Amino acid sequence: MTELASTDLAFNNIIDGKLVAASDGATIDVLSPSNGQVFASISRSSQLDVDKAVKSARRAFESGTWGKLTALERGRLLMKLGEKILENHEELAQLEALDTGKPMTQARADITAAARYFEFYGSAADKVHGETIPYVDGYTVAVVPEPYGVTGHVIPWNYPAQMFGRTLAPALAMGNATVLKPAEEACLTPVKLSELALEAGFPPGAINVVTGYGHEAGAALSEHPDIDFISFTGSPDVGTIIQCAAAKNHIGCVLELGGKSPQIVFADADLEQALPVITNAIIQNAGQTCSAGSRLLVQQDIFEQVKTKLVARFSELRMGSHEMDLHCGPLISAKQQQRVKSFVDQAVASGLPLLAQAQLSPDAPVDGFYQPAALFGPVPRDHILAREEVFGPVLVMIPFADEADAIELANDTDFGLAAGVWTKDGARQIRVANAVRGGQVFINNYGAGAGIELPFGGVKKSGHGREKGFAALHEFSTTKTIVINHG
Ligand code: NAP
Ligand code: MG
């Protein structure tokens, strides 16, 4: 990869294997969340650019260059991209940290995960097999998995490099040609990763990237009549818009829309094991994680004990720029910081106990979008802070009486993405895991960010469909039933 030079900070679209500006030359400034300064620009794509990208994907899918490759050949290309990501690991991590504000350690872990997506799905590409069905005498029936064709992908700003891998790798492994619209606030690594894909040998049109605003490029992609499937990660409101657009074109979609995931701590839990994990699950990426463990449900017998220990932990948290690599970086934008701040201010104004907050390092740049991690509790169950996704480093503590109460409380939410259960009681582990509504349940751990192998997705307002694991290969493909009468 060409090293990122300070004179070379205009990021282009990638359409049909070429780096191109928006048709009308329009651009959008890119800010560093750590200091609020403009340091680059991206293309502001229009409907025309999106149309070119979809046409390119269609050509790649229909032609021999991509559409006729064998699963083994596709898999090798994905593996090669995984290798290239690892070869360029540090440059990509620096770019990810600069663009999103996340601490370097987190950015490095994200790039490793992005590579892992291509390794996992590269080696899985030729392992998705069909089946035969015993049918009427004289007939053979084959059920064959097939790609949809052209898939559209709209991703958010919180984990751009990881999301690139999560949504594109399984779609490509199954043979789809793709068009990606990353979030306008963080799309530099998706552009660079697509350039690496070209270097790895992906043919023109297999991966197209159009940057720009959601209501322009995003809407043009999701409404385009020639896409065959769409994958979206982001807010429930935009998820509704995407789903309406998909319905109008009679295509399917996978939606991953965030959560208000519970961490349930029973009185017999090993707190030494649990509390560092619980803290990390809300401060990781400054709480801007769809599966953040943002509701801490604690059995009332140990509520005060847990509170005291967490107050100590939160008071020690430090916040600074991505380069300072502390517990938390800034939030993604001034808008997001204001959003989280207003949740905190309103909670304090309503009388909620603000138990502890992280400290901003005195060395942090002055104009960054910093919002300290905050611990509140006890929080009434119907308080807005206990119900809405804040998407920032805010943890609410809510007491519960017994197992039945814990389950009721865990499920008393519009969302259903992930859950953590902390108890040494084996039978209770299974009962609670079965009773909690959500896509992932972690017993005595909380590892939602990791685990490319693990199917991931939600129920209720958290969305539907599954990404990650082998489930994503089924999500990004359809089946054809072939019935042969051979007598
Ligand atoms: P968002 O608006 O849903 O953005 C997600 C993606 O959708 C971005 O690429 C966005 O583009 C695009 N988009 C926006 N409007 C669109 C439209 N009409 N048609 C097609 N695509 C469109 O999320 P946000 O505004 O960045 O964040 C708002 C809240 O969403 C957060 O506070 C958080 O609660 C939630 N969120 C959840 C996740 C998650 O992982 N589940 C991730 C991010 C945010 P642009 O951003 O370029 O406009
Ligand atoms: Mg947005």
Side-chain angles (χ1 to χ4, degrees), residues 157 184-185 335:
W157 39 258
E184 149 268 317
E185 278 136 335
K335 182 178 144 211

Side-chain angles (χ1 to χ4, degrees), residues 88-391:
N88 293 279
H89 189 278
E90 185 59 20
E91 293 99 304
L92 288 164
Q94 301 263 0
L95 186 61
E96 186 77 331
L98 179 65
D99 196 20
T100 61
K102 63 180 72 192
M104 277 306 302
T105 301
Q106 176 70 51
R108 290 191 181 104
D110 287 4
I111 300 303
T112 304
R116 180 87 186 94
Y117 277 107
F118 287 94
E119 293 165 345
F120 179 86
Y121 289 109
S123 57
D126 60 354
K127 295 170 189 68
V128 183
H129 302 156
E131 57 183 1
T132 57
I133 295 177
Y135 193 50
V136 182
D137 187 34
Y139 283 73
T140 293
V141 177
V143 181
V144 184
E146 288 192 334
Y148 278 110
V150 175
T151 50
H153 305 257
V154 178
I155 59 172
W157 39 258
N158 50 351
Y159 291 89
Q162 279 211 50
M163 293 280 176
F164 178 94
R166 189 178 98 185
T167 190
L168 292 188
L172 292 162
M174 291 309 296
N176 299 284
T178 62
V179 181
L180 173 74
K181 207 301 281 180
E184 149 268 317
E185 278 136 335
C187 58
L188 303 188
T189 54
V191 172
K192 282 287 161 194
L193 290 167
S194 313
E195 288 180 37
L196 284 182
L198 293 175
E199 285 179 23
F202 276 83
I207 302 175
N208 298 276
V209 179
V210 277
T211 60
Y213 291 117
H215 63 277
E216 295 176 350
L221 178 58
S222 53
E223 290 165 10
H224 199 290
D226 201 30
I227 58 167
D228 301 305
F229 187 82
I230 187 151
S231 158
F232 172 76
T233 300
S235 61
D237 287 349
V238 177
T240 305
I241 296 173
I242 298 277
Q243 189 153 232
C244 287
K248 283 185 185 151
N249 282 325
H250 299 283
I251 62 169
C253 58
V254 50
L255 300 180
E256 202 272 272
L257 308 177
K260 191 77 181 175
S261 297
Q263 295 267 15
I264 311 167
V265 185
F266 286 93
D268 69 339
D270 178 343
L271 295 183
E272 296 309 307
Q273 182 197 15
L275 296 186
V277 179
I278 286 170
T279 306
N280 189 53
I282 188 65
I283 63 164
Q284 180 182 320
N285 212 38
Q288 303 166 118
T289 302
C290 38
S291 52
S294 52
R295 280 191 302 151
L296 179 57
L297 318 184
V298 184
Q299 196 154 18
Q300 60 200 16
D301 324 41
I302 56 163
F303 191 86
E304 285 306 315
Q305 189 191 351
V306 171
K307 188 170 105 175
T308 306
K309 286 177 185 284
L310 278 181
V311 164
R313 285 188 169 275
F314 270 67
S315 307
E316 281 169 11
L317 296 174
R318 294 289 175 270
M319 183 174 47
S321 71
H322 60 283
E323 289 157 317
M324 295 167 77
D325 203 16
L326 304 175
H327 300 105
C328 283
L331 300 194
I332 190 72
S333 62
K335 182 178 144 211
Q336 189 67 13
Q337 192 247 333
Q338 277 308 314
R339 181 185 137 91
V340 176
K341 183 174 182 303
S342 94
F343 268 107
V344 170
D345 291 349
Q346 282 174 37
V348 171
S350 74
L352 275 197
L354 174 53
L355 301 172
Q357 275 192 296
Q359 301 296 316
L360 179 62
S361 165
D363 301 330
V366 279
D367 290 324
F369 311 132
Y370 298 101
Q371 179 63 32
L375 177 70
F376 283 95
V379 175
R381 298 176 180 204
D382 57 355
H383 196 283
I384 187 171
L385 209 59
R387 308 203 72 85
E388 288 208 8
E389 184 181 42
V390 174
F391 224 62

Side-chain angles (χ1 to χ4, degrees), residues 13-15 20-26 43-56 179 208-211 217 220 224:
N13 285 331
I14 300 201
I15 299 177
V20 288
S23 305
D24 59 5
S43 302
R44 178 177 173 174
S45 307
S46 64
Q47 192 177 7
L48 181 61
D49 302 305
V50 170
D51 189 53
K52 285 180 185 168
V54 173
K55 286 200 167 87
S56 161
V179 181
N208 298 276
V209 179
V210 277
T211 60
H224 199 290

